[in-house]
Amino acid sequence: MQNYNDFILTRSPYYITYSATASLFDYATLDLWVWSGDKTTPPSTKNFSLTSYKARTSDNSLYFQVNDYINGFLDPQISDNTYFTGNTASFVSTEAVWVKWVLKSYKLSAGVGTLYQTSTQSGKPATLGYGYVTDGYNPTLATSSIINQSDRFGVDTYYHYNVSLNTTTNQSSQLFTRVNSTPANNLCLGDLNFYQIIFLNKWGVFDTMDFSRKSTRSISINSEKYDAYRTRPDIFSQYRGTSRIYNINANEEWILNTDLLDDYNNEVMEQLFLSDRWWLYDAEKQLAYPVILTDKKFDEKLGVYEGAMIQWTLKFESANNKINDIR
């Protein structure tokens, strides 16, 4: 069983601490296992082994920062469009992994370490979440209720999910339970085309924001120009150009607008800005695109009269070129 405060949020520093009476140890080692799947079956071989020595003989604690080692095992991706249009969300890889560690301390004598203590922590969950500075040391989930649609705005074409922690599962892919739920402020737009952005929120969990008002799509073309130098008059032709364009490609950009939103959605929007991955879903084409948020400044409107509604305008660009050049 796991509680919400067991989680490691790996975009913020996470420290494993060893403490004991200073005179009883000189250094400590940490063996680390990271895996997905069943909590009860960690890999037979550890992924990392770290060692830390005391800087002063009077030190009674040693610290191991481990979040960067866990990050490489987390790469949540959507697998198709069913997250947006189906009752069951679908992902290429899960939002969470398991972490196990074995912490050992040693006392040095004539240059040889003698084992003093051993402690083991197994099956601790981790996500690509983060904490704010105000959340303090080793931030974790704040509650078992991760996403609640009761104060959200949403378009009725899409599925929206309440997300909560599954405290009884041993499977990393089932740590978050999703239940289809209609947002409290449900918008019916008929056949109008609009977009939805899916992103990883503060807790490292897939979240969504609907952009239901006017949008603009543009394509920026990039290329290289080459001017050929002709020295053979026998191939001269007024219909043959001396300038050629090479390495032509294009990038798509979207300017999206939300509906008028209340203050509650400011926090959701702030988490969208602070995310490190986004996807855009085109309802008309029923296609999802990996995108990048190009806006770098979050302007929260404060001091507006009570009950005021705010519209957000954001710019995204495709994370892939228009012409497939993925190698």
Side-chain angles (χ1 to χ4, degrees):
M1 179 176 181
Q2 48 278 327
N3 297 314
Y4 65 86
N5 55 7
D6 290 333
F7 274 74
I8 299 172
L9 304 182
T10 64
R11 286 183 59 195
S12 288
Y14 187 88
Y15 294 94
I16 296 171
T17 303
Y18 175 76
S19 296
T21 302
S23 61
L24 297 179
F25 76 102
D26 293 301
Y27 70 96
T29 63
L30 180 76
D31 294 333
L32 196 66
W33 290 258
V34 187
W35 75 100
S36 58
D38 195 313
K39 176 181 179 179
T40 62
T41 56
S44 57
T45 304
K46 60 192 174 188
N47 299 105
F48 305 99
S49 185
L50 311 175
T51 301
S52 180
Y53 287 85
K54 297 197 302 185
R56 296 170 294 272
T57 57
S58 59
D59 290 344
N60 57 14
S61 295
L62 290 172
Y63 305 92
F64 297 87
Q65 184 182 341
V66 299
N67 56 294
D68 289 333
Y69 297 98
I70 304 168
N71 268 343
F73 294 83
L74 286 161
D75 187 27
Q77 299 287 338
I78 63 171
S79 59
D80 53 38
N81 300 326
T82 60
Y83 186 92
F84 308 91
T85 58
N87 278 307
T88 304
S90 178
F91 313 113
V92 169
S93 55
T94 62
E95 297 149 296
V97 294
W98 302 111
V99 181
K100 169 188 173 180
W101 63 80
V102 175
L103 188 58
K104 297 180 179 180
S105 62
Y106 295 85
K107 179 67 177 177
L108 283 171
S109 177
V112 178
T114 301
L115 180 64
Y116 170 58
Q117 279 185 331
T118 300
S119 64
T120 300
Q121 171 69 55
S122 185
K124 202 171 183 68
T127 70
L128 279 174
Y130 58 87
Y132 297 136
V133 172
T134 52
D135 293 329
Y137 172 79
N138 282 2
T140 187
L141 298 184
T143 174
S144 59
S145 177
I146 311 300
I147 298 175
N148 190 333
Q149 297 291 340
S150 62
D151 292 304
R152 298 286 190 96
F153 280 70
V155 179
D156 61 357
T157 301
Y158 292 120
Y159 285 86
H160 301 82
Y161 304 102
N162 286 333
V163 182
S164 59
L165 176 63
N166 183 350
T167 60
T168 60
T169 186
N170 284 329
Q171 300 300 319
S172 59
S173 61
Q174 299 172 10
L175 271 170
F176 300 108
T177 300
R178 285 173 165 81
V179 177
N180 185 32
S181 177
T182 302
N185 301 286
N186 195 34
L187 307 172
C188 181
L189 300 181
D191 295 329
L192 293 177
N193 188 33
F194 48 86
Y195 298 99
Q196 185 183 61
I197 293 293
I198 185 170
F199 62 98
L200 284 184
N201 65 14
K202 179 183 180 183
W203 314 121
V205 175
F206 287 108
D207 206 339
T208 56
M209 174 63 75
D210 293 352
F211 290 79
S212 55
R213 295 305 171 188
K214 179 184 176 182
S215 60
T216 302
R217 172 180 170 269
S218 59
I219 298 180
S220 299
I221 310 298
N222 54 78
S223 63
E224 298 179 38
K225 182 181 177 183
Y226 171 71
D227 292 322
Y229 180 64
R230 308 276 183 183
T231 61
R232 292 178 54 191
D234 58 311
I235 62 171
F236 171 84
S237 171
Q238 64 179 347
Y239 304 108
R240 182 192 294 269
T242 57
S243 295
R244 298 288 182 86
I245 299 298
Y246 293 92
N247 298 327
I248 303 171
N249 218 315
N251 192 265
E252 294 180 272
E253 297 179 336
W254 294 265
I255 298 176
L256 307 182
N257 289 279
T258 67
D259 204 291
L260 294 172
L261 307 180
D262 60 15
D263 288 344
Y264 174 85
N265 290 271
N266 284 345
E267 170 63 22
V268 181
M269 191 64 69
E270 184 172 335
Q271 292 184 26
L272 188 153
F273 267 80
L274 292 174
S275 182
D276 64 354
R277 59 195 71 194
W278 309 262
W279 294 263
L280 178 146
Y281 181 65
D282 186 322
E284 183 178 38
K285 297 179 181 178
Q286 295 189 352
L287 291 174
Y289 308 91
V291 293
I292 297 172
L293 176 64
T294 57
D295 286 308
K296 302 299 182 184
K297 189 177 181 181
F298 177 83
D299 291 320
E300 182 178 0
K301 299 174 178 64
L302 303 173
V304 186
Y305 65 87
E306 184 177 357
M309 309 291 274
I310 300 168
Q311 185 179 47
W312 292 86
T313 300
L314 273 65
K315 182 184 291 186
F316 296 85
E317 68 176 28
S318 175
N320 293 317
N321 286 326
K322 184 70 173 175
I323 297 176
N324 184 359
D325 59 0
I326 300 175
R327 295 175 174 86

